[in-house]
């Protein structure tokens, strides 16, 4: 086996491993996002609503009360 053939083979193996790792990470992120959406839908179906963000006036008053 020549050095050139060995280098090409190792390059292809490296590329293949990199591709598989990247694909598995991408699939894991998608699976996690899908699960999160499903859990949120289930939670909202149980009567829960997302809490609204605090208004700036309430935040400032709360900070003043803490000092």
């Amino acid at each position: 086996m020549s050095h050139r053939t060995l280098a090409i083979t190792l390059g292809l193996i490296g590329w293949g491993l990199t591709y598989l790792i990247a694909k598995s990470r991408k699939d894991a992120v998608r699976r996690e996002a899908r699960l999160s959406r499903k859990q949120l839908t289930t939670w909202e179906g149980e009567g829960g609503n997302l809490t609204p963000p605090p208004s700036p006036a309430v935040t400032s008053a709360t900070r003043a009360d803490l000092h």
Side-chain angles (χ1 to χ4, degrees), residues 2 29 50 63:
S2 70
V29 168
L50 296 175
R63 289 184 186 160

Side-chain angles (χ1 to χ4, degrees), residues 2-38:
S2 70
H3 291 291
R4 183 176 180 193
T5 306
L6 182 61
I8 291 172
T9 303
L10 289 176
L12 288 174
I13 290 172
W15 178 84
L17 289 174
T18 302
Y19 174 79
L20 289 175
I21 291 169
K23 182 157 176 45
S24 67
R25 285 184 181 178
K26 185 177 180 181
D27 290 344
V29 168
R30 284 183 177 175
R31 186 174 34 255
E32 184 66 31
R34 191 177 321 121
L35 178 62
S36 179
R37 285 192 308 267
K38 184 178 179 183

Side-chain angles (χ1 to χ4, degrees), residues 47-60:
N49 293 317
L50 296 175
T51 56
S55 65
V58 173
T59 305
S60 299

